[in-house]
Amino acid sequence: MKNEQLLMLKPDLAGLEKAAVILQGGGLVSFPTETVYGLGADARNDRAVARIYEAKGRPSFNPLIVHVADADAAARYCEFNDIAQRLAQAFWPGALTLVLPLKADAGISKLVTAGLDTLAIRVPDHPVAAGLLGAFGGPVAAPSANPSGKVSPTTAAHVADGLGDKIDAVVNGGHCAVGVESTIVSCVGDPALLRAGGIPAEALEACLGRALVVGQDPELPTAPGQLESHYAPRGKVRLNAPYAQEGEVLLGFGPVDADLNLSVAGDLTEAAAHLFAYLHQLDAMGAKKIAVSPIPDHGLGRAINDRLKRAAAPR
Ligand code: TXA
Ligand code: MG
């Protein structure tokens, strides 16, 4: 049974005002960004942030990404060095999260940072997210708006299906254009890629004129073979499959005869935009075994393959 209280808000002024009031009161509001739908709460309010973990059923307090309206707002909460400044200038608003030293007086809930002295922060490139951040006027902590371990939502309907009875409202802003989460770069020490995502690492490296070191995504366990099952559809996933075997549904890429095709043209941007919606659709189809075409491991393909590996991890 879905919560009859779930408010589906229109992305107009009245809807955004209402959403802002809910956030101010410590409520949970899901909103669209260019990457995926976020599950937002006031990042300064411990109880509100705790409700995020509760709603998602997260087994542990992973640190969350804070969303702000612009780089000036971000500078209130963390320290920017030259590299961070350059990346923010080039890619904000956009699908880039920067991990930066947290300012002592930032007032961000410790539940957001999981006690770390760094903060992950970004300026989303979406008119509805921007409107909400403007109306609210404060920092919004927001992980993807899905139950822990499930596929990230790229439509308001995905959010309602997964979390409808656990949150207060969702602002309906249609589907998300990028379709995979933001790229995470740590600017503490040598700039490091912590998570492949919506902005290709190559673009960041071109901007900086240097290679990113590969950092450790804190969500990934260190020992091989313990890869956390994540982003998982209900069916069993087999990767790098040129074609489907008996009983498998093929999630294709490129010119293959597939049940669902991420991009017939072999376009990685189009594939990223379709990825989570198609994983949801495979659940809706009742697919028990899913084969996935090989996907080139460069540009957005790295983010896609990262998500697919987690979908295929033993659970
Ligand atoms: O596209 C996105 O980034 C979406 C939308 C809603 O903005 N958000 C998102 O948030 O993907 P979430 O909570 O699902 O992912 C947070 C990631 C985790 O991998 C977490 O470990 C990392 O950010 N993270 C957060 N704070 C960190 C920190 N201080 N140091 C290192 N990693 C951090
Ligand atoms: Mg997530």
Side-chain angles (χ1 to χ4, degrees), residues 225-279:
Q226 291 188 328
L227 190 65
E228 192 181 352
S229 154
H230 216 85
Y231 302 97
R234 283 191 280 276
K236 195 164 183 287
V237 177
R238 184 170 70 90
L239 301 180
N240 292 316
Y243 49 84
Q245 293 168 356
E246 178 87 37
E248 284 181 333
V249 174
L250 183 63
L251 178 62
F253 178 84
V256 288
D257 183 16
D259 300 85
L260 287 175
N261 201 316
L262 291 167
S263 171
V264 175
D267 176 342
L268 290 167
T269 305
E270 183 187 15
H274 287 153
L275 178 66
F276 289 139
Y278 285 5
L279 294 177

Short mmCIF file of all heavy atoms in Angstrom, two decimals, residues 225-279:
data_model
loop_
_atom_site.label_atom_id
_atom_site.label_comp_id
_atom_site.label_asym_id
_atom_site.label_seq_id
_atom_site.Cartn_x
_atom_site.Cartn_y
_atom_site.Cartn_z
N GLY A 225 35.89 -9.48 -4.62
CA GLY A 225 34.93 -10.55 -4.36
C GLY A 225 33.87 -10.14 -3.36
O GLY A 225 32.89 -10.84 -3.16
N GLN A 226 34.07 -8.98 -2.72
CA GLN A 226 33.06 -8.52 -1.77
C GLN A 226 32.26 -7.37 -2.34
O GLN A 226 31.59 -6.66 -1.60
CB GLN A 226 33.73 -7.99 -0.51
CG GLN A 226 34.40 -9.04 0.32
CD GLN A 226 34.87 -8.46 1.64
OE1 GLN A 226 35.24 -7.30 1.72
NE2 GLN A 226 34.85 -9.26 2.66
N LEU A 227 32.40 -7.19 -3.66
CA LEU A 227 31.73 -6.08 -4.31
C LEU A 227 30.27 -6.06 -3.90
O LEU A 227 29.55 -7.04 -4.05
CB LEU A 227 31.84 -6.24 -5.82
CG LEU A 227 31.41 -5.05 -6.65
CD1 LEU A 227 32.33 -3.87 -6.39
CD2 LEU A 227 31.42 -5.41 -8.11
N GLU A 228 29.87 -4.94 -3.34
CA GLU A 228 28.52 -4.82 -2.81
C GLU A 228 27.50 -4.89 -3.95
O GLU A 228 27.65 -4.22 -4.96
CB GLU A 228 28.42 -3.47 -2.10
CG GLU A 228 27.19 -3.31 -1.28
CD GLU A 228 27.17 -1.92 -0.64
OE1 GLU A 228 28.17 -1.20 -0.75
OE2 GLU A 228 26.15 -1.59 -0.05
N SER A 229 26.49 -5.68 -3.77
CA SER A 229 25.39 -5.69 -4.73
C SER A 229 24.67 -4.36 -4.61
O SER A 229 24.33 -3.90 -3.54
CB SER A 229 24.45 -6.84 -4.42
OG SER A 229 23.16 -6.54 -4.90
N HIS A 230 24.44 -3.75 -5.74
CA HIS A 230 24.00 -2.36 -5.72
C HIS A 230 23.33 -2.08 -7.04
O HIS A 230 23.61 -2.74 -8.02
CB HIS A 230 25.26 -1.50 -5.60
CG HIS A 230 25.06 -0.29 -4.77
ND1 HIS A 230 25.19 -0.32 -3.41
CD2 HIS A 230 24.72 0.98 -5.09
CE1 HIS A 230 24.96 0.90 -2.94
NE2 HIS A 230 24.68 1.70 -3.95
N TYR A 231 22.47 -1.12 -7.06
CA TYR A 231 21.83 -0.75 -8.33
C TYR A 231 21.20 -1.98 -8.97
O TYR A 231 21.21 -2.13 -10.17
CB TYR A 231 22.85 -0.18 -9.33
CG TYR A 231 23.58 1.02 -8.85
CD1 TYR A 231 24.84 0.90 -8.28
CD2 TYR A 231 23.01 2.27 -8.96
CE1 TYR A 231 25.52 2.02 -7.84
CE2 TYR A 231 23.68 3.39 -8.51
CZ TYR A 231 24.93 3.26 -7.96
OH TYR A 231 25.60 4.35 -7.53
N ALA A 232 20.72 -2.89 -8.14
CA ALA A 232 20.39 -4.20 -8.68
C ALA A 232 18.93 -4.34 -9.08
O ALA A 232 18.05 -4.06 -8.27
CB ALA A 232 20.75 -5.27 -7.65
N PRO A 233 18.68 -4.81 -10.30
CA PRO A 233 17.32 -5.24 -10.62
C PRO A 233 17.07 -6.58 -9.94
O PRO A 233 18.00 -7.18 -9.40
CB PRO A 233 17.36 -5.39 -12.14
CG PRO A 233 18.78 -5.67 -12.46
CD PRO A 233 19.62 -5.03 -11.38
N ARG A 234 15.83 -7.07 -9.95
CA ARG A 234 15.55 -8.33 -9.25
C ARG A 234 16.17 -9.53 -9.96
O ARG A 234 16.56 -10.49 -9.33
CB ARG A 234 14.05 -8.51 -9.06
CG ARG A 234 13.53 -7.65 -7.90
CD ARG A 234 12.10 -8.02 -7.52
NE ARG A 234 11.13 -7.42 -8.44
CZ ARG A 234 10.66 -6.18 -8.31
NH1 ARG A 234 11.03 -5.43 -7.31
NH2 ARG A 234 9.80 -5.70 -9.19
N GLY A 235 16.26 -9.45 -11.28
CA GLY A 235 16.81 -10.59 -12.04
C GLY A 235 18.32 -10.70 -11.89
O GLY A 235 18.99 -9.76 -11.48
N LYS A 236 18.84 -11.90 -12.23
CA LYS A 236 20.28 -12.15 -12.17
C LYS A 236 20.92 -11.53 -13.42
O LYS A 236 20.40 -11.69 -14.53
CB LYS A 236 20.49 -13.67 -12.16
CG LYS A 236 21.85 -14.12 -11.77
CD LYS A 236 21.77 -15.63 -11.42
CE LYS A 236 23.11 -16.15 -10.93
NZ LYS A 236 24.11 -16.29 -11.99
N VAL A 237 22.05 -10.86 -13.23
CA VAL A 237 22.65 -10.10 -14.33
C VAL A 237 23.94 -10.76 -14.82
O VAL A 237 24.80 -11.12 -14.02
CB VAL A 237 22.94 -8.65 -13.89
CG1 VAL A 237 23.63 -7.87 -14.99
CG2 VAL A 237 21.64 -7.96 -13.45
N ARG A 238 24.06 -10.95 -16.15
CA ARG A 238 25.30 -11.48 -16.74
C ARG A 238 25.84 -10.42 -17.70
O ARG A 238 25.13 -9.98 -18.61
CB ARG A 238 24.99 -12.78 -17.49
CG ARG A 238 26.20 -13.48 -18.09
CD ARG A 238 25.83 -14.88 -18.59
NE ARG A 238 24.97 -14.81 -19.77
CZ ARG A 238 25.43 -14.77 -21.04
NH1 ARG A 238 26.73 -14.80 -21.27
NH2 ARG A 238 24.60 -14.71 -22.06
N LEU A 239 27.11 -10.03 -17.49
CA LEU A 239 27.68 -8.93 -18.27
C LEU A 239 28.45 -9.43 -19.50
O LEU A 239 28.73 -10.62 -19.62
CB LEU A 239 28.63 -8.11 -17.39
CG LEU A 239 28.01 -7.49 -16.14
CD1 LEU A 239 29.05 -6.70 -15.36
CD2 LEU A 239 26.83 -6.60 -16.52
N ASN A 240 28.79 -8.49 -20.38
CA ASN A 240 29.61 -8.76 -21.57
C ASN A 240 29.07 -9.91 -22.40
O ASN A 240 29.82 -10.76 -22.86
CB ASN A 240 31.05 -9.06 -21.16
CG ASN A 240 31.72 -7.83 -20.60
OD1 ASN A 240 31.57 -6.73 -21.17
ND2 ASN A 240 32.39 -7.96 -19.46
N ALA A 241 27.76 -9.91 -22.57
CA ALA A 241 27.11 -10.99 -23.31
C ALA A 241 26.83 -10.52 -24.74
O ALA A 241 26.06 -9.60 -24.94
CB ALA A 241 25.79 -11.36 -22.62
N PRO A 242 27.50 -11.14 -25.72
CA PRO A 242 27.23 -10.74 -27.11
C PRO A 242 25.79 -11.04 -27.52
O PRO A 242 25.22 -10.34 -28.34
CB PRO A 242 28.22 -11.55 -27.94
CG PRO A 242 29.07 -12.30 -26.98
CD PRO A 242 28.50 -12.19 -25.59
N TYR A 243 25.22 -12.08 -26.96
CA TYR A 243 23.81 -12.39 -27.23
C TYR A 243 23.21 -13.11 -26.03
O TYR A 243 23.94 -13.58 -25.16
CB TYR A 243 23.65 -13.25 -28.51
CG TYR A 243 24.56 -14.44 -28.53
CD1 TYR A 243 24.22 -15.63 -27.89
CD2 TYR A 243 25.81 -14.37 -29.16
CE1 TYR A 243 25.08 -16.70 -27.87
CE2 TYR A 243 26.68 -15.45 -29.15
CZ TYR A 243 26.31 -16.61 -28.51
OH TYR A 243 27.16 -17.68 -28.48
N ALA A 244 21.87 -13.16 -26.00
CA ALA A 244 21.19 -13.78 -24.86
C ALA A 244 21.16 -15.29 -25.01
O ALA A 244 21.07 -15.82 -26.12
CB ALA A 244 19.77 -13.24 -24.76
N GLN A 245 21.28 -16.01 -23.90
CA GLN A 245 21.08 -17.46 -23.91
C GLN A 245 19.62 -17.75 -23.59
O GLN A 245 18.87 -16.86 -23.20
CB GLN A 245 22.01 -18.11 -22.87
CG GLN A 245 23.47 -17.96 -23.27
CD GLN A 245 24.43 -18.32 -22.15
OE1 GLN A 245 24.02 -18.61 -21.03
NE2 GLN A 245 25.72 -18.27 -22.46
N GLU A 246 19.25 -19.01 -23.73
CA GLU A 246 17.90 -19.49 -23.41
C GLU A 246 17.43 -18.92 -22.06
O GLU A 246 18.14 -19.03 -21.06
CB GLU A 246 17.99 -21.03 -23.33
CG GLU A 246 16.72 -21.74 -22.96
CD GLU A 246 15.87 -22.03 -24.19
OE1 GLU A 246 16.43 -22.35 -25.25
OE2 GLU A 246 14.63 -21.93 -24.06
N GLY A 247 16.26 -18.30 -22.05
CA GLY A 247 15.69 -17.83 -20.78
C GLY A 247 16.18 -16.46 -20.34
O GLY A 247 15.73 -15.95 -19.32
N GLU A 248 17.12 -15.86 -21.08
CA GLU A 248 17.63 -14.55 -20.70
C GLU A 248 16.95 -13.44 -21.51
O GLU A 248 16.61 -13.63 -22.68
CB GLU A 248 19.15 -14.44 -20.94
CG GLU A 248 19.99 -15.17 -19.93
CD GLU A 248 21.49 -15.00 -20.23
OE1 GLU A 248 21.87 -14.80 -21.41
OE2 GLU A 248 22.27 -15.11 -19.28
N VAL A 249 16.80 -12.29 -20.87
CA VAL A 249 16.37 -11.09 -21.56
C VAL A 249 17.63 -10.29 -21.88
O VAL A 249 18.50 -10.17 -21.02
CB VAL A 249 15.43 -10.26 -20.65
CG1 VAL A 249 15.09 -8.94 -21.29
CG2 VAL A 249 14.17 -11.06 -20.33
N LEU A 250 17.75 -9.80 -23.11
CA LEU A 250 18.98 -9.05 -23.46
C LEU A 250 18.78 -7.55 -23.31
O LEU A 250 17.88 -6.96 -23.90
CB LEU A 250 19.42 -9.37 -24.89
CG LEU A 250 20.74 -8.69 -25.31
CD1 LEU A 250 21.92 -9.15 -24.47
CD2 LEU A 250 21.04 -8.91 -26.80
N LEU A 251 19.64 -6.95 -22.48
CA LEU A 251 19.75 -5.49 -22.40
C LEU A 251 20.90 -5.13 -23.33
O LEU A 251 22.06 -5.36 -23.02
CB LEU A 251 20.04 -5.06 -20.96
CG LEU A 251 20.24 -3.56 -20.72
CD1 LEU A 251 18.98 -2.77 -21.07
CD2 LEU A 251 20.62 -3.30 -19.26
N GLY A 252 20.54 -4.60 -24.50
CA GLY A 252 21.54 -4.45 -25.56
C GLY A 252 22.23 -3.11 -25.59
O GLY A 252 21.84 -2.15 -24.92
N PHE A 253 23.31 -3.07 -26.36
CA PHE A 253 24.00 -1.82 -26.67
C PHE A 253 24.57 -1.98 -28.07
O PHE A 253 25.26 -2.96 -28.35
CB PHE A 253 25.13 -1.57 -25.67
CG PHE A 253 25.92 -0.32 -25.97
CD1 PHE A 253 25.48 0.93 -25.52
CD2 PHE A 253 27.10 -0.37 -26.73
CE1 PHE A 253 26.19 2.08 -25.81
CE2 PHE A 253 27.82 0.79 -27.01
CZ PHE A 253 27.36 2.02 -26.55
N GLY A 254 24.26 -1.03 -28.94
CA GLY A 254 24.73 -1.14 -30.32
C GLY A 254 23.76 -1.95 -31.17
O GLY A 254 22.66 -2.29 -30.72
N PRO A 255 24.18 -2.27 -32.38
CA PRO A 255 23.28 -2.91 -33.34
C PRO A 255 23.05 -4.39 -33.06
O PRO A 255 23.52 -5.24 -33.80
CB PRO A 255 23.99 -2.69 -34.68
CG PRO A 255 25.43 -2.61 -34.32
CD PRO A 255 25.51 -2.02 -32.94
N VAL A 256 22.38 -4.70 -31.96
CA VAL A 256 22.05 -6.09 -31.65
C VAL A 256 20.54 -6.22 -31.52
O VAL A 256 19.84 -5.24 -31.26
CB VAL A 256 22.70 -6.57 -30.32
CG1 VAL A 256 24.20 -6.74 -30.50
CG2 VAL A 256 22.40 -5.60 -29.18
N ASP A 257 20.06 -7.45 -31.67
CA ASP A 257 18.63 -7.71 -31.56
C ASP A 257 18.33 -7.92 -30.08
O ASP A 257 18.49 -9.01 -29.55
CB ASP A 257 18.31 -8.97 -32.39
CG ASP A 257 16.82 -9.25 -32.38
OD1 ASP A 257 16.05 -8.34 -32.02
OD2 ASP A 257 16.44 -10.38 -32.74
N ALA A 258 17.92 -6.85 -29.38
CA ALA A 258 17.77 -6.90 -27.93
C ALA A 258 16.33 -6.63 -27.53
O ALA A 258 15.58 -5.98 -28.26
CB ALA A 258 18.68 -5.88 -27.27
N ASP A 259 15.96 -7.12 -26.33
CA ASP A 259 14.62 -6.84 -25.80
C ASP A 259 14.50 -5.36 -25.46
O ASP A 259 13.48 -4.72 -25.68
CB ASP A 259 14.38 -7.70 -24.56
CG ASP A 259 14.48 -9.18 -24.90
OD1 ASP A 259 15.61 -9.71 -24.90
OD2 ASP A 259 13.46 -9.78 -25.20
N LEU A 260 15.56 -4.84 -24.84
CA LEU A 260 15.65 -3.40 -24.57
C LEU A 260 17.04 -3.00 -25.03
O LEU A 260 18.01 -3.70 -24.74
CB LEU A 260 15.54 -3.12 -23.07
CG LEU A 260 14.19 -3.27 -22.39
CD1 LEU A 260 14.35 -3.06 -20.88
CD2 LEU A 260 13.19 -2.28 -22.95
N ASN A 261 17.15 -1.87 -25.73
CA ASN A 261 18.48 -1.46 -26.20
C ASN A 261 18.86 -0.09 -25.65
O ASN A 261 18.14 0.88 -25.86
CB ASN A 261 18.52 -1.46 -27.73
CG ASN A 261 19.96 -1.54 -28.23
OD1 ASN A 261 20.84 -0.86 -27.73
ND2 ASN A 261 20.18 -2.41 -29.21
N LEU A 262 19.96 -0.05 -24.90
CA LEU A 262 20.41 1.20 -24.28
C LEU A 262 20.71 2.26 -25.33
O LEU A 262 20.45 3.43 -25.13
CB LEU A 262 21.66 0.95 -23.43
CG LEU A 262 21.44 0.12 -22.17
CD1 LEU A 262 22.78 -0.35 -21.59
CD2 LEU A 262 20.66 0.92 -21.12
N SER A 263 21.27 1.83 -26.46
CA SER A 263 21.48 2.74 -27.58
C SER A 263 21.82 1.92 -28.81
O SER A 263 22.91 1.35 -28.91
CB SER A 263 22.62 3.72 -27.30
OG SER A 263 22.92 4.43 -28.48
N VAL A 264 20.88 1.87 -29.73
CA VAL A 264 21.10 1.12 -30.98
C VAL A 264 22.30 1.72 -31.72
O VAL A 264 23.11 1.02 -32.31
CB VAL A 264 19.84 1.17 -31.87
CG1 VAL A 264 20.10 0.50 -33.20
CG2 VAL A 264 18.66 0.51 -31.16
N ALA A 265 22.44 3.05 -31.62
CA ALA A 265 23.53 3.74 -32.32
C ALA A 265 24.88 3.57 -31.62
O ALA A 265 25.90 4.01 -32.12
CB ALA A 265 23.20 5.22 -32.43
N GLY A 266 24.88 2.91 -30.44
CA GLY A 266 26.14 2.76 -29.70
C GLY A 266 26.60 4.07 -29.09
O GLY A 266 27.80 4.32 -28.93
N ASP A 267 25.65 4.93 -28.72
CA ASP A 267 25.96 6.25 -28.16
C ASP A 267 25.95 6.15 -26.63
O ASP A 267 24.91 5.86 -26.02
CB ASP A 267 24.90 7.24 -28.67
CG ASP A 267 25.05 8.63 -28.08
OD1 ASP A 267 25.72 8.79 -27.04
OD2 ASP A 267 24.45 9.56 -28.66
N LEU A 268 27.10 6.38 -25.99
CA LEU A 268 27.21 6.19 -24.54
C LEU A 268 26.37 7.19 -23.75
O LEU A 268 25.86 6.88 -22.67
CB LEU A 268 28.67 6.28 -24.10
CG LEU A 268 29.54 5.10 -24.55
CD1 LEU A 268 31.02 5.41 -24.37
CD2 LEU A 268 29.16 3.82 -23.79
N THR A 269 26.20 8.40 -24.26
CA THR A 269 25.38 9.40 -23.57
C THR A 269 23.93 8.95 -23.55
O THR A 269 23.25 9.01 -22.51
CB THR A 269 25.51 10.77 -24.27
OG1 THR A 269 26.89 11.10 -24.33
CG2 THR A 269 24.75 11.85 -23.53
N GLU A 270 23.45 8.48 -24.69
CA GLU A 270 22.08 7.97 -24.76
C GLU A 270 21.93 6.75 -23.84
O GLU A 270 20.92 6.61 -23.12
CB GLU A 270 21.74 7.59 -26.21
CG GLU A 270 20.30 7.12 -26.37
CD GLU A 270 19.99 6.58 -27.77
OE1 GLU A 270 20.93 6.29 -28.55
OE2 GLU A 270 18.79 6.43 -28.06
N ALA A 271 22.93 5.89 -23.81
CA ALA A 271 22.87 4.68 -22.98
C ALA A 271 22.79 5.04 -21.49
O ALA A 271 22.01 4.44 -20.75
CB ALA A 271 24.09 3.80 -23.25
N ALA A 272 23.57 6.01 -21.06
CA ALA A 272 23.53 6.43 -19.65
C ALA A 272 22.15 6.95 -19.30
O ALA A 272 21.60 6.65 -18.23
CB ALA A 272 24.60 7.50 -19.39
N ALA A 273 21.59 7.73 -20.19
CA ALA A 273 20.27 8.31 -19.92
C ALA A 273 19.20 7.23 -19.79
O ALA A 273 18.24 7.38 -19.04
CB ALA A 273 19.89 9.29 -21.01
N HIS A 274 19.37 6.11 -20.50
CA HIS A 274 18.38 5.03 -20.45
C HIS A 274 18.62 4.02 -19.34
O HIS A 274 17.71 3.27 -18.97
CB HIS A 274 18.38 4.26 -21.78
CG HIS A 274 17.76 5.01 -22.90
ND1 HIS A 274 18.11 4.80 -24.22
CD2 HIS A 274 16.81 5.97 -22.91
CE1 HIS A 274 17.40 5.61 -24.99
NE2 HIS A 274 16.60 6.34 -24.21
N LEU A 275 19.86 3.97 -18.81
CA LEU A 275 20.27 2.83 -17.98
C LEU A 275 19.31 2.49 -16.84
O LEU A 275 18.77 1.38 -16.77
CB LEU A 275 21.68 3.09 -17.42
CG LEU A 275 22.22 2.00 -16.50
CD1 LEU A 275 22.44 0.71 -17.29
CD2 LEU A 275 23.54 2.44 -15.86
N PHE A 276 19.09 3.43 -15.93
CA PHE A 276 18.29 3.10 -14.75
C PHE A 276 16.83 2.86 -15.11
O PHE A 276 16.18 1.99 -14.53
CB PHE A 276 18.42 4.19 -13.68
CG PHE A 276 19.76 4.23 -13.02
CD1 PHE A 276 20.37 5.44 -12.75
CD2 PHE A 276 20.42 3.07 -12.67
CE1 PHE A 276 21.61 5.49 -12.12
CE2 PHE A 276 21.67 3.10 -12.05
CZ PHE A 276 22.26 4.31 -11.78
N ALA A 277 16.31 3.63 -16.08
CA ALA A 277 14.91 3.42 -16.49
C ALA A 277 14.74 2.00 -17.04
O ALA A 277 13.75 1.33 -16.77
CB ALA A 277 14.51 4.45 -17.53
N TYR A 278 15.74 1.51 -17.79
CA TYR A 278 15.62 0.17 -18.36
C TYR A 278 15.78 -0.91 -17.28
O TYR A 278 15.14 -1.96 -17.34
CB TYR A 278 16.64 -0.03 -19.49
CG TYR A 278 16.24 0.68 -20.77
CD1 TYR A 278 15.11 1.51 -20.80
CD2 TYR A 278 16.97 0.52 -21.93
CE1 TYR A 278 14.74 2.16 -21.97
CE2 TYR A 278 16.61 1.16 -23.11
CZ TYR A 278 15.50 1.99 -23.13
OH TYR A 278 15.13 2.62 -24.27
N LEU A 279 16.64 -0.66 -16.29
CA LEU A 279 16.75 -1.63 -15.19
C LEU A 279 15.41 -1.72 -14.45
O LEU A 279 14.97 -2.82 -14.09
CB LEU A 279 17.89 -1.26 -14.24
CG LEU A 279 19.31 -1.35 -14.84
CD1 LEU A 279 20.35 -0.88 -13.82
CD2 LEU A 279 19.64 -2.78 -15.29
#
